[in-house]
Amino acid sequence: MTLFDGIYPFYLQQRKVSVFDVSTIIVIVVFLTLTCSFLLIIPGIRGRARSYWTLRVLLSLVVGVVIVAVQFTGDWETGWVKANTSYKSFSRAMVNADIGLHVGLAGVNVTLMGNPVNQINETINYNEHFAWSFDADYDHIYSEGLERGLPSPILYVAEKFTTQSPCGMLRQYRISSHYASATLWVAFCTWLISNMLFSMPVLVYGGYMLLVTGAFMIFSLLSFSTVRNSLMCPIQFGTATLRIGYGGSFWLTLAIGLLCFVAGITVVSLHYFNLDLLKTFFDLREEKAEEYQEMTEVYVNPHFVNKGLSLSPPSKLNPNKI
């Protein structure tokens, strides 16, 4: 890089939101559309079944949207630190800024925000994404960041995840995230199967599939948590240290996984101990009502009614008057 009017060149680039991106927004919009569509038809359901349908559908949609959305979020692990640090390479200019690290299943986001935002005649507000999925080249993306002249704190944090780094964190994070994502997609498939089974009179199997869904969500968390087995290199900015911990997506996945366990155990328990209540909740007691409706009138032989006094053709009587 060469100086231009005493300032090192920084080029415009595409930014990525640290927690939500376009894919996450699309997933949320799709599920919100399904929710709104259901709310439009819910007034047509009568009686207590309306409340049961609303509860079942909304809970199911919440589980589905979380399973898909956390695939694209970037806050499985997060960390922030406030420090005085150099802003550019080969420059003594120091800035006071918040440096953030946001780890997702597809890559890592590094955030740099000045305190205040405007310092040394520049706007310090960066958020850069470095992908590490198997179809992405992390080292190449990092090299592009060097060529664009990203601020030194961002490059310093991103360098910790390169293959040349002695930390060796890239391989562990890439493998753990890959298997966590794969198990979540399996959980999404079992969630679809559970909804199909709940629409048929095989409720207990739907409960079993909910348990399987919860199990795969927990497996994804265990897979991602294996990154803790590797030695985490310290990220130092002077005397300040950037420390990361589990973020919102991790705890949200855990909560929904436990919810699937509770719902599955409840369905299976009711199947064996109170089947009538389970059928009522899933609105499957219409068969008995149809049987009662079919026997609205009967044919009675008056010979037996009049104790055989006379034989006459059978007459049609209302069973309510007998």
Side-chain angles (χ1 to χ4, degrees):
M1 296 186 297
T2 59
L3 285 171
F4 178 75
D5 195 19
I7 298 176
Y8 289 94
F10 287 85
Y11 304 104
L12 295 176
Q13 53 207 288
Q14 184 179 2
R15 304 293 171 84
K16 179 182 175 68
V17 181
S18 60
V19 177
F20 293 99
D21 61 1
V22 177
S23 301
T24 307
I25 296 175
I26 291 175
V27 171
I28 294 176
V29 169
V30 169
F31 277 88
L32 283 178
T33 302
L34 294 176
T35 303
C36 294
S37 300
F38 172 75
L39 293 177
L40 290 176
I41 65 175
I42 196 65
I45 303 176
R46 299 179 179 179
R48 291 183 303 175
R50 178 187 302 171
S51 302
Y52 298 152
W53 270 94
T54 302
L55 181 61
R56 294 201 315 268
V57 172
L58 292 183
L59 285 178
S60 180
L61 289 176
V62 167
V63 173
V65 71
V66 169
I67 293 175
V68 179
V70 294
Q71 298 268 6
F72 308 103
T73 54
D75 62 338
W76 281 72
E77 283 186 338
T78 58
W80 285 92
V81 65
K82 185 176 182 179
N84 293 315
T85 178
S86 62
Y87 180 56
K88 304 173 183 177
S89 301
F90 312 107
S91 175
R92 295 181 180 180
M94 302 290 290
V95 296
N96 183 272
D98 290 327
I99 302 119
L101 178 62
H102 312 276
V103 179
L105 298 183
V108 61
N109 282 75
V110 185
T111 303
L112 179 67
M113 182 173 294
N115 292 313
V117 176
N118 295 315
Q119 297 183 46
I120 59 173
N121 297 325
E122 291 192 25
T123 300
I124 304 175
N125 188 3
Y126 289 85
N127 184 38
E128 303 299 326
H129 178 70
F130 301 87
W132 59 40
S133 56
F134 285 114
D135 59 346
D137 189 346
Y138 185 93
D139 290 341
H140 179 70
I141 297 174
Y142 174 75
S143 299
E144 289 182 342
L146 286 173
E147 295 176 358
R148 294 199 307 264
L150 293 179
S152 297
I154 293 180
L155 294 175
Y156 169 69
V157 176
E159 186 183 9
K160 298 291 184 180
F161 295 90
T162 59
T163 56
Q164 291 82 14
S165 173
C167 299
M169 294 189 298
L170 176 63
R171 181 176 180 273
Q172 184 66 41
Y173 268 100
R174 173 178 284 179
I175 295 176
S176 299
S177 300
H178 173 74
Y179 284 106
S181 177
T183 51
L184 280 176
W185 283 121
V186 176
F188 179 72
C189 294
T190 57
W191 170 77
L192 290 176
I193 296 174
S194 69
N195 282 278
M196 297 176 187
L197 294 174
F198 281 138
S199 64
M200 299 182 290
V202 284
L203 304 178
V204 65
Y205 297 108
Y208 289 144
M209 292 309 298
L210 270 182
L211 292 176
V212 175
T213 301
F216 275 106
M217 296 184 72
I218 299 301
F219 289 157
S220 68
L221 299 177
L222 294 176
S223 175
F224 184 80
S225 62
T226 57
V227 297
R228 299 286 177 168
N229 297 333
S230 59
L231 183 61
M232 188 72 177
C233 288
I235 303 177
Q236 295 282 147
F237 294 93
T239 58
T241 303
L242 194 158
R243 304 182 186 277
I244 61 174
Y246 294 126
S249 293
F250 183 92
W251 298 116
L252 180 61
T253 305
L254 177 61
I256 297 301
L258 295 178
L259 176 63
C260 290
F261 273 119
V262 172
I265 292 174
T266 301
V267 171
V268 174
S269 300
L270 288 177
H271 174 78
Y272 290 104
F273 297 105
N274 197 339
L275 185 58
D276 290 337
L277 178 60
L278 182 63
K279 287 185 177 181
T280 301
F281 182 76
F282 281 90
D283 198 20
L284 292 178
R285 296 181 60 87
E286 298 178 355
E287 296 179 358
K288 292 185 177 180
E290 292 177 358
E291 292 178 0
Y292 291 130
Q293 291 177 359
E294 290 177 358
M295 298 184 63
T296 56
E297 52 187 22
V298 295
Y299 291 92
V300 180
N301 194 327
H303 172 76
F304 298 102
V305 176
N306 298 325
K307 297 182 180 180
L309 295 178
S310 62
L311 293 175
S312 61
S315 60
K316 187 176 181 181
L317 299 178
N318 192 328
N320 297 326
K321 296 180 181 181
I322 298 177

